[in-house]
Amino acid sequence: MPGSNTVGLKAYGAYVPRLRLSRKAVADANAWFNPALKGLARGERAICNWDEDSLTMGVEAARDCLTPARLDNGAAPAVAAVTFASTTLPFGDRQNAGILATALNFGESVATMDFTASQRAGTSGLLNALQREIGGAAAGDTLFVAADKRRTQASGPQELQFGDAAAAFTVGRGDPVAVYLGGHQLSTDFIDHYRGGDSKYDYNWEERWIRDEGYFKIAPRAIAAALAQTGLDAGAIDRFIMPALIRGVPQKVAALAGIGAGAVRDTLQAQLGEAGTAHPLVMLVDCLQDAGPGETIMVVGWGQGCDVLLFRTTEALAALSPRQGVKGWLARRREETNYNRYLSFNDLLEQDRGIRAELDAPTALSALYRNRDMVLGFVGGKCRICGTVQYPKTRACVSPNCGAFNSQDPHPFAEIPAKVQSWTADNLTYSPDPPAHFGMVVFDEGGRLMAEMTDVSPGEVAVGMPVRMVFRRRAVDDKRGFIKYFWKATPDHTAEDAKGSEV
Amino acid sequence: MARGIKDKVAILGMGCSKFGERWDMNGEDLIVEAVEECLDDAGVERSRIDAAWFSTAIEEQHVGKSGVPLAVSLRLPYIPVTRVENYCASGTESFRGACYAVASGAADIALAVGVEKLKDTGYGGLPQRMRGAVADMYWPNASAPGSFAQLATAYSAKHGVPADTLKKAMAHVSVKSHANGAKNPKAHLRKEIDIDTVLNAPMVAEPLGLFDCCGVSDGSAAAIVTTPEIAKSMGKADLVSVKALQLAVSNGQEASHNSWDGSYFMTTRRAAERAYKEAEIRRPRDEVSMFEVHDCFSITELVTMEDLYLSEEGTAWKDILDGFYDADGKIPCQIDGGLKCFGHPIGASGLRMLYEMYLQFQGRAGARQLDDPKIGMTHNLGGFPHQNVSSVSIVGRYDA
């Protein structure tokens, strides 16, 4: 039975981008070349906006997971480690978990690590976090985040099947919402697909071989080992989570393992698509949003072998504070039917972007380090003398009645509600998605920012509109391969979101 | 308040190049075009100039940094040349430097020259450029129209003026300036337009359409200043003197403190208050004959009419629609076409405004000559509504 010393998942969170690409739009554009795509032209897939990537989605999923503790003071709750899993990491050599931890204001004393290079990085990363907690190596909870922004070439089937999303969990001892029962890792160099270190895209082998020689032979062995290790009977599995793009695979694997057909979870293919290394965990969040106490959940992660993790939900699950989770974010959607825009956002189109797009703006890494809390963490200042909250934090208080030097303490801004004071939709300045929306955003606690806006529908912005701040790509320095991140304002679809979370 | 420099400095001569797309001219050539006229008008040789101030804003686009480009263009005899920059208000800064030198006695005769050669970018609008290592990490990627357009959304919300009503008043601003500019041979844009053209123009930054935005121009303007005593000793009559020069610079309050509502210029109000005091003007709406304001965008001109205390707050749009600021209105504004049509070569614009005042006082403004103006005011703004510099100058007849 769970108790104060039990290791498991203490909270969950997720993120799904607002844009949903209509599969019909993709098939309509490409069926002339690949008629088989017509068979996949149902539903939609989640796609990143131009300013989203695995890291920005990871930050959002983490914020969702840390709700509402983070909302109380804008600062991150205490965790000992932040780990991040993705095979689409924005940086190949700059720790992505470190950027995530900085964006969430975890400070310097947190352990950070990236997990990557396999679709199994998500489940293996979560296993690693659980084992660290069990083994006592962790000095506190671990925030584990998995995210993938899938990258494909144009007009292949995976362009329709993949999706972009993120999931996050707080892992630790205490009173988990899902107790970790045990698991198993099977490693074998089964190459259903691969992506070379310098390649942008996956190279795939034949589906029938992957199904018969891979899924059907490897996964049942891993499942059997996990059941043996935990002493559970296959029939005890209430929920079976296994992503697979080949039709019928999760059902057949469950049957081979002796798991009831009714336990097999929907892969969210119709609404989201498959979110790579994050996907089993995205499905786990979705499952936890449905589950009652005492349910046994099996999660299968696939990629050069097979991970199997077993959890049992607790009474604490129902007591978890409201959050978006997968269901909330899925309900917050905007259909994208312009396939060309998708191609453009994903660098799949050689576009004439005009001379204004040529501006060469390198980042001063020394200045970024000096201002990392301000830029990545969105930390401003609060004057000790007059109480004025302000952004950025400067050496002289901005209050016209104060002006004191050296009087400000750090004050996190990301979770403070804000409203639009003035705005425009700018067709002149370069934007990957014109017109560029920006405006003066005024924070309820004081302070303001002339902020870029994102995830805005035309005609949506108005003076007085509530907004929330989100961590996004500001720009990409193509010449140097550097991605510039900052915070933007986005319409606070609270009502829309709340409706979603009740599903 | 300091005593100020009212009537301590007189304009000895002025010059202004033709503004526009001067494809055949370098910045250095434009300087010579303006200064040749200025020297002829002043009736002095270059050797009489004790010191010079030189304004450009986006110098990396044309002449480069420092005072050297001015000294080289004019082959000045190794005198002090100070290059000044204060966003789009740079032109007035060179004038201020020259006037202060004369008022202080440090120079008998001083030269102010502004230039901007903008049309070498390959695209329309102002050149895009970096804003500094730190600002580039958090400032929005905003165009100038995008920054100023927000005045309109904030003004509409604050004063309850419907967006389409405000848009019509803004359109009137542009129609009026086009009518004025059509009469100015040195203006960049010399075509009259009707209100429908403005209202139906492509949107640049909501709600600013193409005709709500001023021209992006090449050009140069220059002034030679001295003391009234020296001017008289040179035989000059009908002197035009400086009544007030004031500048207010944002300290970040608009950008970072919630006391500003986004619908007006804190700087312009401060600078105007100080300028009226320095010039001893109590009722500007009655006492000032004409205005040249920084109409980079139609909405800028509209709110500036309130910030200069000409229209009551929240009513400028009515005065504008009533024709109060038209060429035949009570206080003509932008009689030379303004930034909108004369054009906006940044470093020259403040001097261009003063050039028009100077011509009007001397009865040399041709088809656009006003009837006996006595006091004129220029307003030269730089930056963005939420962070800017605002320069207000009052000039007039020395005997007024």
Side-chain angles (χ1 to χ4, degrees):
Chain A
M1 287 302 292
S4 62
N5 211 26
T6 312
V7 169
L9 311 176
K10 296 171 76 173
Y12 63 78
Y15 181 73
V16 182
R18 188 169 186 233
L19 290 179
R20 308 298 152 76
L21 181 64
S22 154
R23 291 202 177 97
K24 183 174 181 303
V26 183
D28 285 350
N30 291 308
W32 66 272
F33 178 77
N34 186 352
L37 297 180
K38 286 180 191 163
L40 299 170
R42 289 180 304 277
E44 56 193 22
R45 57 158 295 194
I47 56 168
C48 280
N49 203 340
W50 71 268
D51 58 356
E52 293 182 293
D53 61 23
S54 299
L55 189 57
T56 68
M57 290 192 294
V59 169
E60 279 306 301
R63 291 173 80 190
D64 194 38
C65 179
L66 300 170
T67 302
R70 189 178 144 86
L71 287 173
D72 291 341
N73 59 2
V79 302
V82 175
T83 55
F84 184 44
S86 177
T87 72
T88 49
L89 293 165
F91 283 89
D93 192 342
R94 174 191 174 193
Q95 198 188 53
N96 299 273
I99 306 170
L100 191 114
T102 307
L104 295 166
N105 297 321
F106 278 113
E108 291 183 342
S109 54
V110 72
T112 51
M113 179 62 76
D114 290 333
F115 291 87
T116 188
S118 168
Q119 292 295 292
R120 205 149 52 88
T123 46
S124 296
L126 181 58
L127 259 169
N128 182 279
L130 290 160
Q131 284 160 353
R132 266 170 57 91
E133 296 291 335
I134 292 166
D141 292 350
T142 297
L143 174 71
F144 173 73
V145 182
D148 256 334
K149 179 191 176 183
R150 308 303 300 273
R151 186 152 200 191
T152 69
Q153 284 167 300
S155 69
Q158 291 178 339
E159 188 171 50
L160 292 94
Q161 293 171 316
F162 284 176
D164 302 335
F169 300 95
T170 313
V171 179
R173 281 180 194 282
D175 193 12
V177 300
V179 175
Y180 178 58
L181 303 175
H184 184 76
Q185 286 188 293
L186 185 159
S187 298
T188 181
D189 192 29
F190 181 82
I191 315 165
D192 51 11
H193 77 280
Y194 69 92
R195 186 163 80 239
D198 294 327
S199 304
K200 288 183 187 172
Y201 308 108
D202 295 350
Y203 187 84
N204 300 283
W205 211 247
E206 186 183 357
E207 279 194 358
R208 297 176 61 82
W209 173 73
I210 297 167
R211 183 189 63 187
D212 296 345
E213 199 66 11
Y215 283 125
F216 292 167
K217 290 190 177 169
I218 296 168
R221 297 209 308 270
I223 292 169
L227 290 172
Q229 192 239 11
T230 53
L232 287 169
D233 186 81
I237 306 302
D238 300 304
R239 313 272 188 170
F240 177 70
I241 291 169
M242 179 179 181
L245 288 172
I246 304 170
R247 180 187 286 271
V249 162
Q251 290 78 6
K252 180 71 184 289
V253 169
L256 289 170
I259 295 166
V264 179
R265 293 288 298 181
D266 174 53
T267 58
L268 305 170
Q269 181 61 214
Q271 315 98 295
L272 200 159
E274 196 193 88
T277 195
H279 204 66
L281 308 176
V282 168
M283 287 176 66
L284 176 57
V285 171
D286 178 63
C287 179
L288 289 171
Q289 289 188 277
D290 281 338
E295 294 192 20
T296 303
I297 301 171
M298 176 179 280
V299 181
V300 176
W302 178 258
Q304 299 86 53
C306 190
D307 290 340
V308 180
L309 293 80
L310 282 152
F311 297 95
R312 182 165 296 136
T313 57
T314 71
E315 297 288 349
L317 183 59
L320 198 62
S321 56
R323 60 203 57 227
Q324 298 299 332
V326 172
K327 295 180 193 298
W329 292 117
L330 274 177
R332 169 191 176 269
R333 62 179 278 283
R334 184 178 145 203
E335 185 182 39
E336 177 58 82
T337 55
N338 187 338
Y339 177 65
N340 271 342
R341 185 182 281 134
Y342 164 80
L343 292 180
S344 173
F345 284 4
N346 288 278
D347 217 7
L348 292 163
L349 196 62
E350 285 209 30
Q351 245 181 324
D352 178 356
R353 294 173 188 264
I355 299 179
R356 282 184 178 275
E358 293 172 8
L359 182 72
D360 185 29
T363 298
L365 301 179
S366 44
L368 176 57
Y369 178 68
R370 210 160 51 234
N371 297 284
R372 62 194 181 281
D373 292 339
M374 165 194 159
V375 174
L376 298 176
F378 202 37
V379 176
K382 182 173 184 177
C383 180
R384 280 187 298 277
I385 294 165
C386 73
T388 299
V389 171
Q390 51 205 286
Y391 187 92
K393 174 173 168 280
T394 58
R395 293 292 288 267
C397 175
V398 74
S399 170
N401 302 316
C402 181
F405 283 122
N406 307 315
S407 66
Q408 293 174 53
D409 295 321
H411 191 81
F413 266 71
E415 306 297 345
I416 306 175
K419 291 187 180 65
V420 173
Q421 180 182 73
S422 64
W423 67 277
T424 190
D426 191 334
N427 286 296
L428 181 61
T429 195
Y430 171 71
S431 166
D433 189 24
H437 284 79
F438 50 89
M440 186 63 87
V441 166
V442 178
F443 293 88
D444 288 0
E445 291 179 18
R448 52 174 49 196
L449 177 74
M450 184 59 76
E452 294 189 11
M453 298 182 187
T454 189
D455 285 353
V456 172
S457 305
E460 183 178 16
V461 183
V463 172
M465 182 182 78
V467 291
R468 70 186 286 268
M469 303 304 291
V470 289
F471 182 77
R472 293 291 175 99
R473 288 182 169 198
R474 195 184 168 283
V476 178
D477 178 356
D478 286 324
K479 206 176 194 175
R480 300 168 189 82
F482 194 76
I483 301 163
K484 307 172 186 186
Y485 293 99
F486 186 54
W487 294 77
K488 300 182 184 179
T490 190
D492 189 357
H493 302 100
T494 311
E496 194 182 326
D497 292 352
K499 195 173 62 189
S501 65
E502 284 165 12
V503 171
Chain B
M1 186 170 160
R3 280 169 297 151
I5 63 163
K6 184 182 179 188
D7 289 330
K8 290 181 180 171
V9 179
I11 298 173
L12 195 58
M14 289 201 78
C16 184
S17 77
K18 165 119 179 65
F19 283 10
E21 291 169 332
R22 303 293 304 271
W23 304 116
D24 59 341
M25 290 262 173
N26 293 325
E28 290 82 350
D29 302 322
L30 293 163
I31 289 170
V32 172
E33 185 175 319
V35 174
E36 270 195 293
E37 180 191 345
C38 185
L39 289 166
D40 285 349
D41 182 50
V44 294
E45 295 295 325
R46 275 172 274 178
S47 57
R48 292 285 305 274
I49 297 166
D50 296 318
W53 275 260
F54 176 48
S55 53
T56 61
I58 312 180
E59 86 291 333
E60 68 270 30
Q61 200 68 42
H62 47 100
V63 296
K65 291 189 188 303
S66 88
V68 167
L70 183 73
V72 170
S73 297
L74 301 175
R75 304 295 182 200
L76 293 173
Y78 288 80
I79 59 168
V81 180
T82 305
R83 187 253 165 153
V84 291
E85 184 277 326
N86 225 352
Y87 285 151
C88 293
S90 300
T92 307
E93 288 295 77
S94 60
F95 186 73
R96 213 162 58 95
C99 287
Y100 283 1
V102 165
S104 73
D108 283 340
I109 296 179
L111 170 69
V113 180
V115 71
E116 214 75 47
K117 172 70 194 173
L118 293 172
K119 296 304 297 180
D120 273 331
T121 58
Y123 52 87
L126 290 176
Q128 215 167 356
R129 55 207 188 277
M130 289 188 67
R131 305 199 187 275
V134 178
D136 264 347
M137 292 191 284
Y138 78 102
W139 283 23
N141 181 19
S143 71
S147 299
F148 283 81
Q150 294 174 60
L151 285 167
T153 50
Y155 186 95
S156 269
K158 180 182 182 185
H159 297 298
V161 183
D164 56 341
T165 306
L166 187 62
K167 176 91 177 165
K168 274 183 198 144
M170 287 155 56
H172 187 102
V173 167
S174 298
V175 170
K176 169 266 299 165
S177 293
H178 271 264
N180 294 347
K183 294 179 179 162
N184 184 348
K186 287 188 174 177
H188 181 173
L189 304 170
R190 301 200 59 205
K191 193 177 161 199
E192 295 198 28
I193 54 169
D194 60 24
I195 193 155
D196 289 336
T197 305
V198 184
L199 295 176
N200 298 325
M203 198 61 86
V204 175
E206 204 170 321
L208 301 179
L210 184 62
F211 286 95
D212 290 298
C213 307
C214 75
V216 172
S217 322
D218 304 328
S220 176
I224 294 173
V225 292
T226 187
T227 64
E229 294 71 30
I230 293 171
K232 282 182 199 163
S233 75
M234 293 171 67
K236 294 280 178 182
D238 300 328
L239 291 185
V240 176
S241 61
V242 175
K243 310 291 184 185
L245 291 177
Q246 291 295 336
L247 172 72
V249 176
S250 292
N251 73 358
Q253 194 178 327
E254 303 98 311
S256 300
H257 191 263
N258 288 345
S259 47
W260 180 65
D261 65 23
S263 73
Y264 68 99
F265 289 90
M266 283 180 61
T267 50
T268 300
R269 293 184 180 189
R270 307 277 174 96
E273 286 160 15
R274 293 201 289 256
Y276 291 135
K277 196 164 183 182
E278 184 177 11
E280 298 172 275
I281 288 171
R282 283 161 199 86
R283 290 168 286 104
R285 195 165 159 119
D286 300 322
E287 294 180 50
V288 181
S289 317
M290 57 185 172
F291 283 81
E292 287 291 331
V293 302
H294 198 91
D295 57 330
C296 49
F297 303 97
S298 56
I299 188 64
T300 321
E301 179 169 330
L302 188 148
V303 305
T304 298
M305 296 296 105
E306 297 177 11
D307 295 337
L308 294 177
Y309 302 99
L310 301 174
S311 294
E312 292 286 321
E313 197 178 319
T315 68
W317 62 276
K318 288 184 202 162
D319 279 342
I320 284 165
L321 288 172
D322 288 346
F324 189 83
Y325 301 109
D326 291 356
D328 58 357
K330 173 74 173 26
I331 312 179
C333 190
Q334 322 302 79
I335 192 64
D336 65 357
L339 301 175
K340 175 75 194 77
C341 293
F342 203 141
H344 186 24
I346 301 171
S349 282
L351 286 160
R352 182 275 301 163
M353 298 173 185
L354 291 161
Y355 176 72
E356 178 67 11
M357 298 275 143
Y358 177 74
L359 294 183
Q360 290 281 351
F361 291 131
Q362 299 203 335
R364 292 160 59 194
R368 62 188 189 282
Q369 180 63 48
L370 298 171
D371 183 26
D372 196 27
K374 291 189 169 59
I375 293 287
M377 186 165 182
T378 69
H379 159 259
N380 192 191
L381 183 83
F384 318 96
H386 69 284
Q387 193 136 303
N388 63 83
V389 304
S390 185
S391 193
V392 171
S393 309
I394 300 174
V395 290
R397 295 180 185 223
Y398 182 59
D399 52 16

